[in-house]
Amino acid sequence: MKKNRPETLCVHEGQIKDPLYNGAVSPLYMATAYSYMKGDMYPRYFNTPNQVGLSKKISALENSEESLIFGSGMAAISTSLLAFLSSGDHVIFQSDLYGGTRNFATEHLNAYGIEFSFADSTSLNDFETKIKDNTKVIYLESPSNPLMKIIDLKGIAELSKDNSIITMIDNTFASPVNQNPILLGIDIVIHSATKYLGGHSDILAGSVSSSKKNIESVFRVGKSLGGNLSDYTVWLLERSLKTLYVRVEKQNKNANEIANFLQNHECINKVFYPGLKNSAFYDLAKNQMKDFTGMLSFEIDNNISRQIFEKNLNLIQPAISLAGVESTINVPYLTSHKWLPKEEKVKQGISENLIRFSVGIENVGDLKLDISQALKKSQNES
Ligand SMILES: *Cc1c(COP(=O)(O)O)cnc(C)c1O
């Protein structure tokens, strides 16, 4: 039978039949105690009916053999790293990295005897020169936060296969709708499901997808660390995923239109969005992604007050986190990247005037109007 397409998989894959009442949605099984005569079902073993059902949906969307669902993106990330790294091993992270992942590396890996390096996110050559005899894992994030850099996933996959290295990617910013790294040769795909998969800014969760063999390794560490998601939230996340495709499709479309609008606005210096034809990453993104995502960043002109702009937005909310149905903005300089030394922020291009925009599913004309009026006010008052 032909595999259903992503829109259909979002709605139907992994759904649990309701044998008692034939309800149209999965029943929720909240038990933490099941008969030992029927195997060893237990939420911390990732094997309850709702966990297994949702894993099937995520695996189908990511084209993986199996998946595990975690209580947060960081639980998924830390468990996956510890599953493939032990004392004496070395891991290469790309330099543009989610803050929590960078902290996990810099604050905890030494205690496990694990060495790490950072490689320039946009240079395959830099990754190659950083590979050592004990390098076991290469860890990526594409598109990256907040400058939306794209890394050549096929290139990294080839480099790693030649050196028997496991490749992992944090696919949060793309979502499975826009990018399936496993099809490009990457081994392990991780999501902060708190973002696009959840999509309504009300669920904290994570996922890991890979081959049966790799997931077995993640499972062995995961059941000891105990980072599973509770079944109630698993059930809510299944409901969220039913609309993943329609949400992300709309967010892609809105973001593309807003990126072009901002690029032509006199108050904006620079727009970071791989879907812009003049972006350095356009060709690569076009090649390895299905669409360009609903995330973008832009830098407002120096003689305009960012604070006045933020204050005057009516529709678009200043908020940390991202990828909800509502549009939100965030200033990485003050939030996600505040711990980076100032020189490093400047070097990476993260200025005080850089705004990250998580584009929602609202009417794009309303969003543009909100930006225009707030920019106009900040121009007048600056
Ligand atoms: C939010 C986020 C994480 C961490 O996920 P949590 O669910 O907050 O633990 C990891 N990577 C990226 C890219 C994120 O945006």
Side-chain angles (χ1 to χ4, degrees):
M1 202 176 81
K2 192 181 173 321
K3 190 180 155 190
N4 282 321
R5 277 159 280 215
E7 301 93 306
T8 314
L9 295 173
C10 281
V11 180
H12 294 286
E13 190 68 18
Q15 175 144 344
I16 304 169
K17 288 222 157 57
D18 169 5
L20 279 183
Y21 304 108
N22 298 314
V25 304
S26 296
L28 166 57
Y29 296 95
M30 283 293 287
T32 54
Y34 289 93
S35 166
Y36 52 80
M37 287 175 246
K38 282 213 158 188
D40 60 350
M41 264 202 300
Y42 190 56
R44 185 162 48 74
Y45 297 165
F46 301 89
N47 62 0
T48 59
N50 293 92
Q51 287 174 314
V52 171
L54 179 59
S55 300
K56 281 190 186 143
K57 200 190 284 289
I58 294 176
S59 297
L61 290 170
E62 278 297 5
N63 291 277
S64 70
E65 284 175 7
E66 294 195 355
S67 299
L68 295 177
I69 324 290
F70 286 85
S72 69
M74 280 315 300
I77 291 165
S78 53
T79 306
S80 300
L81 286 168
L82 293 178
F84 292 96
L85 292 166
S86 38
S87 182
D89 291 343
H90 172 246
V91 45
I92 305 173
F93 293 96
Q94 76 173 53
S95 50
D96 300 76
L97 204 57
Y98 175 71
T101 310
R102 181 177 275 263
N103 286 348
F104 181 68
T106 55
E107 289 177 19
H108 301 286
L109 288 185
N110 279 338
Y112 293 99
I114 298 163
E115 295 175 51
F116 58 91
S117 314
F118 291 105
D120 177 347
S121 310
T122 55
S123 163
L124 277 186
N125 193 33
D126 198 35
F127 277 89
E128 192 162 13
T129 56
K130 297 224 156 106
I131 293 175
K132 309 201 283 183
D133 288 345
N134 59 343
T135 305
K136 292 281 159 59
V137 171
I138 290 183
Y139 185 100
L140 311 168
E141 230 176 277
S142 183
S144 71
N145 177 26
L147 297 173
M148 307 300 293
K149 294 182 187 170
I150 306 289
I151 183 149
D152 178 356
L153 299 185
K154 267 192 192 151
I156 292 280
E158 272 163 35
L159 191 65
S160 307
K161 296 251 149 44
D162 293 346
N163 293 281
S164 311
I165 293 169
I166 297 263
T167 44
M168 297 184 188
I169 185 170
D170 180 334
N171 203 30
T172 301
F173 266 47
S175 93
V177 174
N178 290 323
Q179 181 167 269
N180 293 138
I182 286 174
L183 299 181
L184 302 165
I186 300 294
D187 297 309
I188 297 178
V189 176
I190 303 175
H191 283 280
S192 167
T194 311
K195 316 296 164 53
Y196 282 109
L197 303 192
H200 296 71
S201 310
D202 56 7
I203 287 175
L204 194 81
S207 69
V208 180
S209 303
S210 190
S211 64
K212 193 171 170 19
K213 178 165 165 275
N214 287 337
I215 290 295
E216 181 58 35
S217 303
V218 179
F219 166 72
R220 273 201 301 276
V221 178
K223 73 173 200 273
S224 297
L225 293 179
N228 66 282
L229 185 65
S230 94
D231 279 301
Y232 180 65
T233 318
V234 166
W235 183 85
L236 273 179
L237 185 54
E238 188 205 339
R239 186 179 74 168
S240 292
L241 277 167
K242 292 186 188 196
T243 57
L244 175 74
Y245 198 95
V246 286
R247 282 188 276 113
V248 172
E249 200 177 35
K250 174 79 171 168
Q251 283 164 314
N252 289 337
K253 210 166 155 247
N254 280 357
N256 213 312
E257 195 165 329
I258 286 172
N260 281 289
F261 160 76
L262 289 171
Q263 180 165 255
N264 296 319
H265 200 290
E266 53 173 354
C267 303
I268 306 298
N269 277 348
K270 208 162 176 192
V271 181
F272 301 88
Y273 187 66
L276 288 172
K277 295 228 166 60
N278 59 7
S279 158
F281 301 109
Y282 179 82
D283 289 333
L284 186 54
K286 185 119 188 106
N287 219 338
Q288 69 185 25
M289 300 179 75
K290 287 180 267 182
D291 204 341
F292 303 103
T293 104
M295 298 297 304
L296 59 96
S297 290
F298 58 95
E299 196 179 79
I300 45 183
D301 203 75
N302 278 333
N303 48 37
I304 287 175
S305 160
R306 188 203 75 229
Q307 285 88 343
I308 298 175
F309 170 70
E310 285 168 288
K311 249 187 263 153
N312 280 293
L313 288 168
N314 298 320
L315 203 54
I316 301 164
Q317 295 180 55
I320 57 162
S321 202
L322 57 111
V325 291
E326 58 284 312
S327 289
T328 58
I329 55 155
N330 181 350
V331 179
Y333 191 92
L334 303 175
T335 59
S336 55
H337 291 67
K338 67 165 180 255
W339 40 266
L340 256 195
K342 197 164 178 190
E343 316 82 70
E344 185 60 23
K345 277 192 273 219
V346 172
K347 199 175 130 204
Q348 290 195 14
I350 300 170
S351 72
E352 286 180 68
N353 274 357
L354 183 76
I355 295 181
R356 192 191 70 192
F357 190 1
S358 168
V359 182
I361 64 169
E362 299 95 336
N363 177 287
V364 71
D366 291 341
L367 294 175
K368 286 197 275 190
L369 276 177
D370 196 29
I371 297 168
S372 304
Q373 63 82 23
L375 281 174
K376 195 165 195 139
K377 281 188 189 132
S378 31
Q379 230 175 346
N380 294 341
E381 291 174 38
S382 301

